[in-house]
Amino acid sequence: MSIGHTLLGLLESGPRHGYDLKRAFDEKFGHDRPLHYGQVYSTMSRLLKNGLVVVDGIEAGGGPERKRYAITEAGITDVAQWLATPEKPEPYLQSTLYTKVVLALLTGRGAAELLDTQRAEHLRLMRELTRRKRDGDFADQLICDHALFHLEADLRWLELTAARLDRLAEEVRR
């Protein structure tokens, strides 16, 4: 995810302080990985340097000065271009899981047990996401569906690999 583009998109609704940007990001996108304040301010500094935002105001308070940022026309154009550019599909051709299976076979360890353990972990996470989906709002349901579909694909691969383990062992040991 492009944090810079996401923060720019959040600024399109109007100027905000860094604290407000962090709160909005965490609420909409950061359920599992909230932003650190330092990340917000370093990103805003970079966007300011690149002319994509301006400081719209500075407020003095009990602590450090609070800058309010506003998006520029260049920032709006940048977000529009980012939104219009399709994401590159990630085929996962060099997955860690595949590497572990092959190394288990090469070293005489239990690849079937590795697959079973991984299957159990996938199922555990799927149960957790299903609970979160049931209890969440509509946006949370959509993000959970995305994760669940990927986990389902992984499970299909785990099953297929388990069924072909003997053949894979022959191939990798040549």
Side-chain angles (χ1 to χ4, degrees), residues 25 32 37-38 40 45 53 111 115:
F25 181 97
D32 296 319
Y37 284 104
V40 172
S45 177
V53 299
L115 291 169

Side-chain angles (χ1 to χ4, degrees), residues 1-51:
M1 175 188 327
S2 170
I3 293 170
H5 286 110
T6 305
L7 294 176
L8 283 172
L10 290 171
L11 281 172
E12 281 201 46
S13 64
R16 297 181 188 212
H17 296 97
Y19 173 82
D20 297 327
L21 286 167
K22 179 202 176 343
R23 196 176 75 238
F25 181 97
D26 290 352
E27 181 182 303
K28 300 288 185 201
F29 312 107
H31 291 285
D32 296 319
R33 286 164 108 190
L35 280 181
H36 296 287
Y37 284 104
Q39 194 171 13
V40 172
Y41 293 110
S42 65
T43 301
M44 296 312 296
S45 177
R46 189 180 76 250
L47 295 173
L48 185 64
K49 181 178 142 196
N50 292 336

Side-chain angles (χ1 to χ4, degrees), residues 5 12 52 73-87:
H5 286 110
E12 281 201 46
L52 302 176
E73 286 300 318
I76 292 170
T77 300
D78 198 54
V79 171
Q81 289 173 344
W82 179 67
L83 291 172
T85 304
E87 289 297 307

Side-chain angles (χ1 to χ4, degrees), residues 106-123:
L106 287 172
T107 59
R109 291 183 172 91
E113 291 82 3
L114 183 152
L115 291 169
D116 288 342
T117 301
Q118 191 63 50
R119 185 181 305 106
E121 182 59 18
H122 270 63
L123 292 171

